[in-house]
Amino acid sequence: ASPYGGAAAAAYVVGAKSFSEQYILADLMSAQIRAAGGTVAQRTGLGSAVAFEALASDDIDVYVDYSGTIWANVMRRTDVPPRGPMLTEIGRWLEERHGVAMLGALGFENAYGLAMRRDRAESLGIATIGDLAAHAGALEIGGDYEFFARPEWRAVRTAYGLEFASRREFQSTFMYQAVASGEVDVISAFTSDGRIAANDLLVLADPLGAMLPYDAIVLIAPRRARDERLRRALEPLVGAIPLELMQEANYRVDRDQAKQTPAAAARWLAGEIGVRAN
């Protein structure tokens, strides 16, 4: 078969950024494509901007991105619309400007969220970011090395009037242990990270909608936009992955002991959502 088409075994290139969730989803999509009769190569470890450019220029055929990333970093939008209209606008813009097809959202989001140890939050009566604002002056917040320079931090701080006693920066790997051990009171968690459930953390509700949605969305390159085999292979994943299952799959790869490979976590996830996995 030719490498980019043909009725036999077309070779598809699945892309991924450089963190566990992306590797898992790349393996999951690759398994779906193989089950549909295609052959697959992967290009992983891509930077966010590089991944989108590779897709738009047909260097990769499909990858998972996040609605907030496309909205803020690619479209350069600064408003924060509701999730539904935002996804519709993203799909229209991608097709019109780049010929990229948005197959759909997978069913979970990997967004920034403010998280606390559950017992600590309950002892202070904190369930929302609005509740947090009343106590923030006596609390310490931790974030990854990017968070305090990001628009999400500016937006949530402005919307709720957050003023903390102090703040610290961590590698994301150590951030969850810092809040679990009480080293800091609040962190800027990634909502699909398995360490949220493992450490019994509470992600605070955002009633003002200050944080951008970051729905996981499947994007297809222009030359594959109408590829029926690719679409049929991946459509069963659309709307099929709830947050709790993605958190568990991520934790299987990221936990300190008895780590699984992304491929093994992808096979587990495929079984949980009822799709084929090779």
Side-chain angles (χ1 to χ4, degrees), residues 176-263:
Y176 298 91
Q177 184 56 39
V179 73
S181 66
E183 188 176 348
V184 295
D185 301 290
V186 188
I187 60 168
S188 60
F190 301 104
T191 57
S192 61
D193 197 302
R195 288 166 288 201
I196 290 174
N199 290 296
D200 195 26
L201 304 183
L202 175 67
V203 178
L204 304 180
D206 175 18
L208 299 182
M211 297 283 201
L212 269 177
Y214 276 80
D215 290 284
I217 51 178
V218 178
L219 302 184
I220 299 176
R223 69 184 177 87
R224 295 293 198 184
R226 292 174 176 79
D227 186 313
E228 287 303 316
R229 173 161 49 189
L230 184 60
R231 284 179 168 270
R232 285 195 304 269
L234 300 181
E235 279 171 353
L237 303 179
V238 173
I241 306 177
L243 177 63
E244 293 77 13
L245 288 184
M246 195 69 244
Q247 286 179 334
E248 173 62 22
N250 286 333
Y251 190 60
R252 286 168 175 259
V253 176
D254 293 334
R255 61 195 177 193
D256 293 331
Q257 297 180 335
K259 290 178 181 286
Q260 290 187 354
T261 64

Side-chain angles (χ1 to χ4, degrees), residues 84-159:
M86 180 175 168
L87 286 171
T88 299
E89 177 67 10
I90 288 171
R92 182 196 62 76
W93 187 90
L94 288 173
E95 182 175 7
E96 290 180 357
R97 294 290 296 270
H98 295 280
V100 168
M102 186 178 77
L103 186 65
L106 292 174
F108 72 94
E109 65 171 330
N110 185 355
Y112 275 110
L114 299 187
M116 300 182 67
R117 204 167 72 183
R118 188 178 302 275
D119 60 349
R120 176 75 163 135
E122 290 176 351
S123 70
L124 295 173
I126 298 174
T128 72
I129 302 175
D131 299 334
L132 175 65
H135 298 272
L139 303 179
E140 185 172 30
I141 186 171
D144 65 73
Y145 289 130
E146 295 183 2
F147 179 67
F148 297 115
R150 289 187 61 87
E152 288 87 354
W153 169 241
R154 293 193 295 272
V156 76
R157 186 179 58 185
T158 300

